[in-house]
Amino acid sequence: MTRQAVILAMFALVVLATAAGCTDTEPERTVLTVVPAGSLLHPLEEIEAAFESRHPDIDVRLEGHGSIQAVRQVTDLGREIDVVAVADASLIPDMMYVPMTEGGENYTDWYVPFAGNEIVIAYTDRSVGAKEITAENWYRVLARPDVRVGFSNPMLDACGYRALMVTALGEEYYGEPDLFEAIIGSSFDPPLAPVRAGGVTMIALPELMRPADEKVAIRDGSIYLLSLLDAGGIDYAFEYRSVAEEHGLRWIDLPPGIDLSSAERTDDYRKVRVTLGFQRFGSIGSERIGQPIVYAVTVPRNAPHPEEARMFVDFVLAAFYEERPGWPTPMGQEPGAATVYHATD
């Protein structure tokens, strides 16, 4: 065989081998799109790894948003999402128990509550007043003109309107009628002014929340305040306890009467309501009523992979049965026996 023939033969073998390799591909994995509230990202990342190790044919992809924004991915932006998990269970019936099309079926008709949390005041060693702040004087420290405070956008994130609720509840709890104005209200243009009538405090928000000075900063989600806190851009942030713990922050525990953690204090929490001014998206429940913090999960009716989505939901519920550091507090329901709330309930 001539040298040229040998080269041609070798070239042919390479081509055949390459062609054979192209046909020997791994089976395509099912992509499961999960959109959780930002405060669930840390635990769900751990759950994702465990779930995928057990189900290697499924690729879970997490996309964190504020709770309102998480629901809006389905209801207003028209995306096909497999699983939605929020930090305020009431958002699901308020925003998703509505028809997808005129006369059609709802975006979903069920949800499962699975965890709770509480609002805390998070800070670092560099925060102004860090050496003097306590559970007894926190509101006085935050009211100081030189102290910068952050919370998430109430139009997008449940932790945001809960920050307003906690501050408003604090006025009555501590007997400080100007507490809300000093910490938050006067730092916006126009100012946020609670209105009290019949034992209920109403806080009506404008469509655009514009800070009037540097005392207050808002971000789209509570987790986006963390980098601002770390960098010293703010001194204190209204955060979920699980987020502060997971991120290694210092925090002040608030009284159960105002921290939105206690089912026994539901009647007290309901004394404050926040009306959202964001009117461009009709599915948003404009009035948020104070109530204990409850996380919930659902599978939208138009989920591309409903069977795999329910498998993942069951896996999440089982994982949350045991309390873990940096996670929202489990509701203690036996795996496989969690309460499912339906639209007809």
Side-chain angles (χ1 to χ4, degrees):
M1 182 179 293
T2 65
R3 177 181 176 84
Q4 184 176 8
V6 170
I7 293 174
L8 290 174
M10 292 178 64
F11 179 76
L13 288 173
V14 170
V15 171
L16 289 172
T18 302
C22 290
T23 61
D24 186 21
T25 58
E26 295 183 2
E28 188 173 345
R29 301 172 71 192
T30 298
V31 175
L32 203 66
T33 304
V34 178
V35 179
S39 56
L40 286 171
L41 272 177
H42 168 63
L44 286 187
E45 284 170 353
E46 294 186 20
I47 292 173
E48 172 192 8
F51 182 82
E52 289 182 347
S53 68
R54 186 171 298 186
H55 302 282
D57 57 326
I58 300 177
D59 177 16
V60 177
R61 298 185 183 178
L62 301 175
E63 183 182 312
H65 291 278
S67 288
I68 289 178
Q69 282 288 72
V71 175
R72 280 194 53 240
Q73 301 303 307
V74 177
T75 58
D76 290 303
L77 302 184
R79 296 180 58 194
E80 294 185 344
I81 305 296
D82 292 295
V83 177
V84 173
V86 294
D88 182 352
S90 69
L91 290 173
I92 294 178
D94 283 359
M95 296 178 64
M96 299 187 75
Y97 286 8
V98 294
M100 293 186 290
T101 57
E102 186 174 352
E105 296 180 305
N106 291 347
Y107 288 102
T108 191
D109 281 321
W110 63 273
Y111 68 90
V112 182
F114 63 92
N117 220 323
E118 63 190 83
I119 300 295
V120 301
I121 307 300
Y123 65 105
T124 71
D125 290 333
R126 300 193 308 274
S127 299
V128 174
K131 294 182 179 180
E132 60 189 275
I133 191 169
T134 67
E136 289 70 38
N137 70 3
W138 68 270
Y139 58 94
R140 294 193 181 99
V141 173
L142 266 61
R144 286 167 39 181
D146 61 329
V147 169
R148 297 160 297 176
V149 179
F151 61 95
S152 56
N153 191 335
M155 310 294 183
L156 310 176
D157 187 43
C159 195
Y161 53 76
R162 285 169 171 156
L164 304 180
M165 292 173 177
V166 165
T167 310
L169 287 169
E171 288 199 341
E172 182 176 349
Y173 186 89
Y174 295 108
E176 297 280 350
D178 298 324
L179 187 154
F180 185 91
E181 178 186 7
I183 296 177
I184 293 175
S186 64
S187 294
F188 282 87
D189 180 21
L192 307 182
V195 176
R196 296 166 183 82
V200 175
T201 299
M202 298 290 301
I203 304 170
L205 304 182
E207 184 169 357
L208 294 177
M209 295 188 65
R210 294 187 294 263
D213 53 44
E214 295 184 354
K215 177 172 176 54
V216 169
I218 58 174
R219 293 293 184 269
D220 286 353
S222 62
I223 60 171
Y224 302 124
L225 294 168
L226 300 177
S227 59
L228 198 60
L229 194 59
D230 286 338
I234 55 176
D235 299 299
Y236 299 91
F238 288 86
E239 281 288 356
Y240 293 117
R241 189 182 194 279
S242 64
V243 173
E245 182 180 14
E246 184 273 326
H247 198 65
L249 295 170
R250 300 178 67 180
W251 71 84
I252 297 295
D253 288 315
L254 303 177
I258 68 173
D259 72 356
L260 305 179
S261 70
S262 173
E264 289 74 24
R265 302 297 186 109
T266 298
D267 289 342
D268 294 329
Y269 301 156
R270 292 180 65 85
K271 293 178 182 178
V272 62
R273 303 182 181 189
V274 176
T275 302
L276 306 180
F278 200 29
Q279 301 298 326
R280 285 182 289 166
F281 299 95
S283 69
I284 293 178
S286 61
E287 185 176 73
R288 310 315 311 158
I289 300 174
Q291 55 189 309
I293 297 168
V294 176
Y295 287 76
V297 63
T298 190
V299 174
R301 192 178 300 278
N302 63 344
H305 311 101
E307 182 176 346
E308 292 86 350
R310 289 303 295 262
M311 289 168 53
F312 184 75
V313 167
D314 290 341
F315 201 84
V316 168
L317 298 179
F320 264 91
Y321 180 64
E322 296 183 5
E323 189 167 359
R324 308 187 192 188
W327 288 30
T329 305
M331 298 190 71
Q333 301 177 92
E334 290 280 353
T339 303
V340 181
Y341 290 85
H342 296 276
T344 55
D345 293 343

Short mmCIF file of all heavy atoms in Angstrom, two decimals, residues 208-264:
data_model
loop_
_atom_site.label_atom_id
_atom_site.label_comp_id
_atom_site.label_asym_id
_atom_site.label_seq_id
_atom_site.Cartn_x
_atom_site.Cartn_y
_atom_site.Cartn_z
N LEU A 208 -44.88 54.63 42.16
CA LEU A 208 -43.43 54.69 42.17
C LEU A 208 -42.96 55.12 43.55
O LEU A 208 -43.34 56.20 44.02
CB LEU A 208 -42.91 55.67 41.11
CG LEU A 208 -43.17 55.30 39.65
CD1 LEU A 208 -42.67 56.41 38.73
CD2 LEU A 208 -42.48 53.97 39.30
N MET A 209 -42.16 54.27 44.18
CA MET A 209 -41.62 54.62 45.50
C MET A 209 -40.25 55.25 45.32
O MET A 209 -39.30 54.57 44.93
CB MET A 209 -41.55 53.38 46.38
CG MET A 209 -42.92 52.80 46.71
SD MET A 209 -42.82 51.48 47.94
CE MET A 209 -42.23 52.39 49.38
N ARG A 210 -40.18 56.55 45.58
CA ARG A 210 -38.94 57.30 45.36
C ARG A 210 -38.37 57.77 46.70
O ARG A 210 -38.97 58.66 47.33
CB ARG A 210 -39.18 58.49 44.44
CG ARG A 210 -39.57 58.14 43.03
CD ARG A 210 -39.61 59.39 42.17
NE ARG A 210 -40.69 60.29 42.61
CZ ARG A 210 -41.88 60.33 42.04
NH1 ARG A 210 -42.16 59.54 41.02
NH2 ARG A 210 -42.81 61.17 42.49
N PRO A 211 -37.22 57.21 47.13
CA PRO A 211 -36.60 57.75 48.35
C PRO A 211 -36.24 59.22 48.16
O PRO A 211 -35.72 59.61 47.11
CB PRO A 211 -35.35 56.88 48.51
CG PRO A 211 -35.70 55.60 47.82
CD PRO A 211 -36.54 56.01 46.63
N ALA A 212 -36.54 60.03 49.17
CA ALA A 212 -36.27 61.46 49.09
C ALA A 212 -34.91 61.82 49.64
O ALA A 212 -34.45 62.95 49.47
CB ALA A 212 -37.36 62.24 49.84
N ASP A 213 -34.27 60.88 50.34
CA ASP A 213 -32.95 61.14 50.90
C ASP A 213 -32.19 59.83 50.98
O ASP A 213 -32.68 58.79 50.52
CB ASP A 213 -33.05 61.83 52.27
CG ASP A 213 -33.95 61.06 53.23
OD1 ASP A 213 -33.83 59.81 53.29
OD2 ASP A 213 -34.75 61.68 53.94
N GLU A 214 -31.00 59.86 51.56
CA GLU A 214 -30.16 58.67 51.62
C GLU A 214 -30.42 57.81 52.85
O GLU A 214 -29.76 56.80 53.05
CB GLU A 214 -28.69 59.08 51.58
CG GLU A 214 -28.28 59.74 50.27
CD GLU A 214 -26.79 60.06 50.23
OE1 GLU A 214 -26.12 59.86 51.26
OE2 GLU A 214 -26.32 60.51 49.16
N LYS A 215 -31.38 58.21 53.68
CA LYS A 215 -31.65 57.43 54.89
C LYS A 215 -32.24 56.06 54.56
O LYS A 215 -31.99 55.09 55.26
CB LYS A 215 -32.60 58.18 55.82
CG LYS A 215 -32.95 57.38 57.07
CD LYS A 215 -33.72 58.17 58.09
CE LYS A 215 -34.13 57.29 59.26
NZ LYS A 215 -32.97 56.58 59.87
N VAL A 216 -33.02 55.98 53.48
CA VAL A 216 -33.72 54.74 53.13
C VAL A 216 -33.27 54.26 51.75
O VAL A 216 -33.12 55.06 50.83
CB VAL A 216 -35.25 54.94 53.15
CG1 VAL A 216 -35.95 53.74 52.54
CG2 VAL A 216 -35.73 55.13 54.58
N ALA A 217 -33.06 52.96 51.63
CA ALA A 217 -32.75 52.34 50.33
C ALA A 217 -33.69 51.16 50.12
O ALA A 217 -34.01 50.43 51.07
CB ALA A 217 -31.30 51.87 50.30
N ILE A 218 -34.17 50.98 48.90
CA ILE A 218 -35.01 49.83 48.58
C ILE A 218 -34.38 49.07 47.41
O ILE A 218 -33.72 49.65 46.55
CB ILE A 218 -36.46 50.24 48.23
CG1 ILE A 218 -36.51 51.21 47.05
CG2 ILE A 218 -37.15 50.84 49.44
CD1 ILE A 218 -37.92 51.52 46.60
N ARG A 219 -34.58 47.76 47.42
CA ARG A 219 -34.09 46.88 46.36
C ARG A 219 -35.22 45.94 45.95
O ARG A 219 -36.20 45.76 46.68
CB ARG A 219 -32.88 46.07 46.82
CG ARG A 219 -31.63 46.92 47.08
CD ARG A 219 -31.10 47.50 45.78
NE ARG A 219 -29.86 48.25 45.97
CZ ARG A 219 -29.79 49.55 46.23
NH1 ARG A 219 -30.91 50.25 46.37
NH2 ARG A 219 -28.62 50.16 46.37
N ASP A 220 -35.09 45.29 44.79
CA ASP A 220 -36.18 44.46 44.26
C ASP A 220 -36.53 43.28 45.16
O ASP A 220 -37.67 42.84 45.20
CB ASP A 220 -35.82 43.95 42.86
CG ASP A 220 -35.91 45.05 41.81
OD1 ASP A 220 -36.37 46.16 42.15
OD2 ASP A 220 -35.52 44.80 40.66
N GLY A 221 -35.56 42.73 45.87
CA GLY A 221 -35.81 41.60 46.76
C GLY A 221 -34.97 41.73 48.01
O GLY A 221 -33.93 42.41 48.02
N SER A 222 -35.40 41.05 49.09
CA SER A 222 -34.69 41.20 50.36
C SER A 222 -33.25 40.69 50.28
O SER A 222 -32.36 41.22 50.94
CB SER A 222 -35.44 40.47 51.47
OG SER A 222 -35.53 39.07 51.20
N ILE A 223 -33.00 39.67 49.45
CA ILE A 223 -31.63 39.14 49.37
C ILE A 223 -30.69 40.12 48.68
O ILE A 223 -29.47 40.05 48.85
CB ILE A 223 -31.58 37.77 48.65
CG1 ILE A 223 -32.11 37.87 47.23
CG2 ILE A 223 -32.33 36.72 49.44
CD1 ILE A 223 -31.88 36.61 46.42
N TYR A 224 -31.25 41.05 47.90
CA TYR A 224 -30.41 42.04 47.22
C TYR A 224 -29.94 43.15 48.16
O TYR A 224 -29.12 43.98 47.80
CB TYR A 224 -31.14 42.63 46.02
CG TYR A 224 -31.57 41.58 45.01
CD1 TYR A 224 -32.90 41.45 44.63
CD2 TYR A 224 -30.64 40.70 44.48
CE1 TYR A 224 -33.30 40.48 43.72
CE2 TYR A 224 -31.02 39.73 43.57
CZ TYR A 224 -32.34 39.63 43.19
OH TYR A 224 -32.73 38.66 42.30
N LEU A 225 -30.48 43.16 49.36
CA LEU A 225 -30.01 44.12 50.36
C LEU A 225 -28.71 43.66 51.01
O LEU A 225 -28.00 44.46 51.62
CB LEU A 225 -31.07 44.30 51.45
CG LEU A 225 -32.38 44.96 51.04
CD1 LEU A 225 -33.41 44.79 52.15
CD2 LEU A 225 -32.17 46.44 50.73
N LEU A 226 -28.40 42.37 50.88
CA LEU A 226 -27.26 41.81 51.60
C LEU A 226 -25.94 42.42 51.17
O LEU A 226 -25.09 42.76 52.00
CB LEU A 226 -27.23 40.29 51.42
CG LEU A 226 -28.46 39.54 51.94
CD1 LEU A 226 -28.35 38.06 51.64
CD2 LEU A 226 -28.65 39.78 53.44
N SER A 227 -25.75 42.56 49.86
CA SER A 227 -24.49 43.15 49.37
C SER A 227 -24.39 44.61 49.79
O SER A 227 -23.30 45.11 50.11
CB SER A 227 -24.39 43.03 47.85
OG SER A 227 -25.49 43.67 47.22
N LEU A 228 -25.52 45.32 49.83
CA LEU A 228 -25.54 46.71 50.26
C LEU A 228 -25.18 46.81 51.74
O LEU A 228 -24.43 47.70 52.15
CB LEU A 228 -26.93 47.29 50.01
CG LEU A 228 -27.09 48.82 49.99
CD1 LEU A 228 -26.24 49.44 48.90
CD2 LEU A 228 -28.55 49.19 49.78
N LEU A 229 -25.67 45.86 52.52
CA LEU A 229 -25.36 45.83 53.95
C LEU A 229 -23.89 45.50 54.17
O LEU A 229 -23.21 46.12 54.98
CB LEU A 229 -26.26 44.80 54.63
CG LEU A 229 -26.35 44.80 56.16
CD1 LEU A 229 -26.85 46.14 56.68
CD2 LEU A 229 -27.26 43.67 56.63
N ASP A 230 -23.39 44.51 53.43
CA ASP A 230 -21.98 44.12 53.55
C ASP A 230 -21.04 45.27 53.19
O ASP A 230 -19.98 45.44 53.80
CB ASP A 230 -21.69 42.92 52.65
CG ASP A 230 -22.26 41.62 53.21
OD1 ASP A 230 -22.51 41.55 54.42
OD2 ASP A 230 -22.47 40.68 52.41
N ALA A 231 -21.43 46.05 52.17
CA ALA A 231 -20.57 47.13 51.69
C ALA A 231 -20.70 48.41 52.51
O ALA A 231 -19.96 49.37 52.27
CB ALA A 231 -20.90 47.43 50.23
N GLY A 232 -21.62 48.43 53.47
CA GLY A 232 -21.80 49.62 54.27
C GLY A 232 -22.71 50.66 53.65
O GLY A 232 -22.79 51.79 54.12
N GLY A 233 -23.41 50.28 52.57
CA GLY A 233 -24.33 51.23 51.93
C GLY A 233 -25.55 51.50 52.78
O GLY A 233 -26.19 52.55 52.65
N ILE A 234 -25.91 50.55 53.64
CA ILE A 234 -26.95 50.75 54.65
C ILE A 234 -26.43 50.19 55.97
O ILE A 234 -25.49 49.38 55.99
CB ILE A 234 -28.28 50.06 54.27
CG1 ILE A 234 -28.06 48.56 53.99
CG2 ILE A 234 -28.93 50.76 53.10
CD1 ILE A 234 -29.34 47.80 53.71
N ASP A 235 -27.05 50.61 57.05
CA ASP A 235 -26.64 50.13 58.37
C ASP A 235 -27.50 48.98 58.86
O ASP A 235 -27.01 48.09 59.56
CB ASP A 235 -26.71 51.28 59.38
CG ASP A 235 -25.77 52.42 59.01
OD1 ASP A 235 -24.54 52.18 58.95
OD2 ASP A 235 -26.27 53.54 58.77
N TYR A 236 -28.79 49.01 58.51
CA TYR A 236 -29.72 48.00 58.99
C TYR A 236 -30.68 47.61 57.86
O TYR A 236 -30.99 48.43 56.99
CB TYR A 236 -30.52 48.51 60.19
CG TYR A 236 -29.64 48.85 61.36
CD1 TYR A 236 -29.12 50.15 61.52
CD2 TYR A 236 -29.29 47.89 62.31
CE1 TYR A 236 -28.28 50.47 62.58
CE2 TYR A 236 -28.45 48.20 63.37
CZ TYR A 236 -27.96 49.48 63.50
OH TYR A 236 -27.12 49.78 64.54
N ALA A 237 -31.14 46.37 57.89
CA ALA A 237 -32.08 45.90 56.88
C ALA A 237 -33.18 45.07 57.54
O ALA A 237 -32.91 44.29 58.45
CB ALA A 237 -31.36 45.05 55.82
N PHE A 238 -34.40 45.26 57.07
CA PHE A 238 -35.50 44.39 57.48
C PHE A 238 -35.35 43.10 56.68
O PHE A 238 -35.47 43.09 55.46
CB PHE A 238 -36.84 45.05 57.18
CG PHE A 238 -37.18 46.20 58.09
CD1 PHE A 238 -36.74 47.48 57.81
CD2 PHE A 238 -37.93 45.99 59.24
CE1 PHE A 238 -37.07 48.55 58.65
CE2 PHE A 238 -38.25 47.04 60.09
CZ PHE A 238 -37.81 48.33 59.79
N GLU A 239 -35.07 42.00 57.38
CA GLU A 239 -34.80 40.73 56.72
C GLU A 239 -35.55 39.59 57.40
O GLU A 239 -36.02 39.71 58.53
CB GLU A 239 -33.30 40.40 56.76
CG GLU A 239 -32.45 41.13 55.74
CD GLU A 239 -32.66 40.61 54.32
OE1 GLU A 239 -33.42 39.62 54.14
OE2 GLU A 239 -32.06 41.19 53.41
N TYR A 240 -35.66 38.47 56.69
CA TYR A 240 -36.13 37.25 57.33
C TYR A 240 -35.01 36.69 58.20
O TYR A 240 -33.83 36.78 57.85
CB TYR A 240 -36.53 36.22 56.28
CG TYR A 240 -37.74 36.61 55.47
CD1 TYR A 240 -37.64 36.80 54.09
CD2 TYR A 240 -38.98 36.78 56.07
CE1 TYR A 240 -38.75 37.15 53.33
CE2 TYR A 240 -40.09 37.13 55.33
CZ TYR A 240 -39.97 37.31 53.96
OH TYR A 240 -41.08 37.68 53.22
N ARG A 241 -35.39 36.10 59.31
CA ARG A 241 -34.40 35.55 60.24
C ARG A 241 -33.53 34.51 59.55
O ARG A 241 -32.32 34.46 59.76
CB ARG A 241 -35.10 34.93 61.45
CG ARG A 241 -34.14 34.52 62.57
CD ARG A 241 -34.91 33.86 63.71
NE ARG A 241 -34.11 33.75 64.92
CZ ARG A 241 -33.22 32.80 65.14
NH1 ARG A 241 -33.00 31.88 64.23
NH2 ARG A 241 -32.53 32.77 66.28
N SER A 242 -34.12 33.66 58.71
CA SER A 242 -33.36 32.60 58.04
C SER A 242 -32.28 33.18 57.14
O SER A 242 -31.18 32.64 57.05
CB SER A 242 -34.29 31.70 57.23
OG SER A 242 -34.92 32.42 56.18
N VAL A 243 -32.59 34.29 56.46
CA VAL A 243 -31.62 34.93 55.56
C VAL A 243 -30.47 35.52 56.36
O VAL A 243 -29.30 35.38 55.99
CB VAL A 243 -32.32 36.00 54.70
CG1 VAL A 243 -31.29 36.79 53.89
CG2 VAL A 243 -33.35 35.38 53.78
N ALA A 244 -30.78 36.20 57.47
CA ALA A 244 -29.74 36.78 58.31
C ALA A 244 -28.84 35.68 58.87
O ALA A 244 -27.61 35.83 58.92
CB ALA A 244 -30.37 37.57 59.45
N GLU A 245 -29.43 34.57 59.27
CA GLU A 245 -28.65 33.46 59.82
C GLU A 245 -27.76 32.82 58.76
O GLU A 245 -26.57 32.59 58.98
CB GLU A 245 -29.59 32.41 60.41
CG GLU A 245 -28.89 31.23 61.05
CD GLU A 245 -29.86 30.23 61.63
OE1 GLU A 245 -31.06 30.29 61.30
OE2 GLU A 245 -29.42 29.36 62.40
N GLU A 246 -28.33 32.55 57.60
CA GLU A 246 -27.57 31.91 56.52
C GLU A 246 -26.41 32.77 56.06
O GLU A 246 -25.33 32.28 55.72
CB GLU A 246 -28.51 31.59 55.35
CG GLU A 246 -27.89 30.82 54.20
CD GLU A 246 -27.22 31.73 53.18
OE1 GLU A 246 -27.75 32.84 52.96
OE2 GLU A 246 -26.19 31.34 52.61
N HIS A 247 -26.61 34.10 56.07
CA HIS A 247 -25.60 35.02 55.57
C HIS A 247 -24.57 35.39 56.64
O HIS A 247 -23.62 36.11 56.36
CB HIS A 247 -26.27 36.28 55.02
CG HIS A 247 -25.41 37.10 54.12
ND1 HIS A 247 -24.96 36.64 52.90
CD2 HIS A 247 -24.90 38.34 54.27
CE1 HIS A 247 -24.21 37.58 52.33
NE2 HIS A 247 -24.15 38.62 53.14
N GLY A 248 -24.75 34.91 57.86
CA GLY A 248 -23.79 35.19 58.92
C GLY A 248 -23.87 36.61 59.46
O GLY A 248 -22.86 37.15 59.94
N LEU A 249 -25.05 37.22 59.40
CA LEU A 249 -25.22 38.58 59.89
C LEU A 249 -25.57 38.59 61.38
O LEU A 249 -25.97 37.58 61.96
CB LEU A 249 -26.35 39.27 59.12
CG LEU A 249 -26.12 39.49 57.62
CD1 LEU A 249 -27.42 39.95 56.97
CD2 LEU A 249 -25.01 40.50 57.38
N ARG A 250 -25.43 39.74 62.00
CA ARG A 250 -25.98 39.96 63.32
C ARG A 250 -27.43 40.42 63.13
O ARG A 250 -27.78 40.98 62.09
CB ARG A 250 -25.17 41.02 64.06
CG ARG A 250 -23.71 40.65 64.26
CD ARG A 250 -22.94 41.74 64.97
NE ARG A 250 -23.40 41.90 66.36
CZ ARG A 250 -22.90 42.80 67.21
NH1 ARG A 250 -21.93 43.62 66.81
NH2 ARG A 250 -23.35 42.89 68.45
N TRP A 251 -28.27 40.17 64.12
CA TRP A 251 -29.65 40.63 63.99
C TRP A 251 -30.29 40.83 65.36
O TRP A 251 -29.83 40.29 66.36
CB TRP A 251 -30.48 39.66 63.15
CG TRP A 251 -30.79 38.34 63.81
CD1 TRP A 251 -31.82 38.07 64.69
CD2 TRP A 251 -30.09 37.10 63.64
NE1 TRP A 251 -31.79 36.76 65.07
CE2 TRP A 251 -30.75 36.13 64.44
CE3 TRP A 251 -28.98 36.73 62.89
CZ2 TRP A 251 -30.32 34.82 64.50
CZ3 TRP A 251 -28.54 35.41 62.95
CH2 TRP A 251 -29.22 34.47 63.75
N ILE A 252 -31.36 41.62 65.34
CA ILE A 252 -32.16 41.88 66.53
C ILE A 252 -33.48 41.13 66.38
O ILE A 252 -34.21 41.32 65.40
CB ILE A 252 -32.45 43.39 66.70
CG1 ILE A 252 -31.15 44.16 66.91
CG2 ILE A 252 -33.41 43.63 67.86
CD1 ILE A 252 -30.41 43.82 68.19
N ASP A 253 -33.78 40.26 67.33
CA ASP A 253 -35.08 39.60 67.36
C ASP A 253 -36.13 40.59 67.84
O ASP A 253 -35.93 41.29 68.84
CB ASP A 253 -35.06 38.39 68.29
CG ASP A 253 -34.26 37.23 67.72
OD1 ASP A 253 -34.43 36.93 66.52
OD2 ASP A 253 -33.47 36.62 68.47
N LEU A 254 -37.25 40.64 67.15
CA LEU A 254 -38.33 41.54 67.50
C LEU A 254 -39.38 40.80 68.35
O LEU A 254 -39.44 39.57 68.33
CB LEU A 254 -38.99 42.10 66.24
CG LEU A 254 -38.04 42.85 65.29
CD1 LEU A 254 -38.78 43.29 64.04
CD2 LEU A 254 -37.42 44.05 65.99
N PRO A 255 -40.21 41.52 69.08
CA PRO A 255 -41.25 40.87 69.88
C PRO A 255 -42.24 40.11 68.99
O PRO A 255 -42.54 40.56 67.87
CB PRO A 255 -41.94 42.04 70.59
CG PRO A 255 -40.98 43.18 70.51
CD PRO A 255 -40.21 42.98 69.25
N PRO A 256 -42.77 38.97 69.45
CA PRO A 256 -43.75 38.23 68.66
C PRO A 256 -44.97 39.06 68.28
O PRO A 256 -45.63 38.77 67.27
CB PRO A 256 -44.13 37.07 69.59
CG PRO A 256 -42.96 36.90 70.49
CD PRO A 256 -42.43 38.28 70.71
N GLY A 257 -45.25 40.10 69.05
CA GLY A 257 -46.40 40.94 68.74
C GLY A 257 -46.25 41.74 67.47
O GLY A 257 -47.26 42.24 66.93
N ILE A 258 -45.03 41.85 66.94
CA ILE A 258 -44.84 42.63 65.71
C ILE A 258 -43.99 41.91 64.67
O ILE A 258 -43.88 42.40 63.53
CB ILE A 258 -44.21 44.01 66.02
CG1 ILE A 258 -42.77 43.87 66.50
CG2 ILE A 258 -45.05 44.78 67.02
CD1 ILE A 258 -42.04 45.21 66.66
N ASP A 259 -43.36 40.77 64.98
CA ASP A 259 -42.42 40.15 64.03
C ASP A 259 -43.08 39.24 63.00
O ASP A 259 -42.41 38.63 62.18
CB ASP A 259 -41.32 39.40 64.77
CG ASP A 259 -41.80 38.11 65.44
OD1 ASP A 259 -43.02 37.82 65.39
OD2 ASP A 259 -40.96 37.40 66.03
N LEU A 260 -44.42 39.11 63.05
CA LEU A 260 -45.19 38.33 62.06
C LEU A 260 -44.84 36.84 62.08
O LEU A 260 -44.93 36.17 61.06
CB LEU A 260 -45.01 38.90 60.65
CG LEU A 260 -45.34 40.39 60.48
CD1 LEU A 260 -45.09 40.83 59.03
CD2 LEU A 260 -46.77 40.69 60.88
N SER A 261 -44.51 36.32 63.25
CA SER A 261 -44.11 34.91 63.34
C SER A 261 -45.14 34.03 64.02
O SER A 261 -45.09 32.81 63.90
CB SER A 261 -42.80 34.79 64.12
OG SER A 261 -43.00 35.09 65.50
N SER A 262 -46.08 34.62 64.75
CA SER A 262 -46.92 33.86 65.66
C SER A 262 -48.36 33.74 65.18
O SER A 262 -49.05 34.75 64.98
CB SER A 262 -46.90 34.51 67.05
OG SER A 262 -47.81 33.90 67.92
N ALA A 263 -48.84 32.51 65.05
CA ALA A 263 -50.24 32.29 64.68
C ALA A 263 -51.18 32.81 65.76
O ALA A 263 -52.31 33.23 65.46
CB ALA A 263 -50.49 30.81 64.43
N GLU A 264 -50.73 32.80 67.02
CA GLU A 264 -51.56 33.28 68.11
C GLU A 264 -51.75 34.80 68.07
O GLU A 264 -52.65 35.33 68.71
CB GLU A 264 -50.93 32.90 69.46
CG GLU A 264 -51.00 31.41 69.80
CD GLU A 264 -50.02 30.59 68.99
OE1 GLU A 264 -49.00 31.16 68.52
OE2 GLU A 264 -50.26 29.38 68.81
#
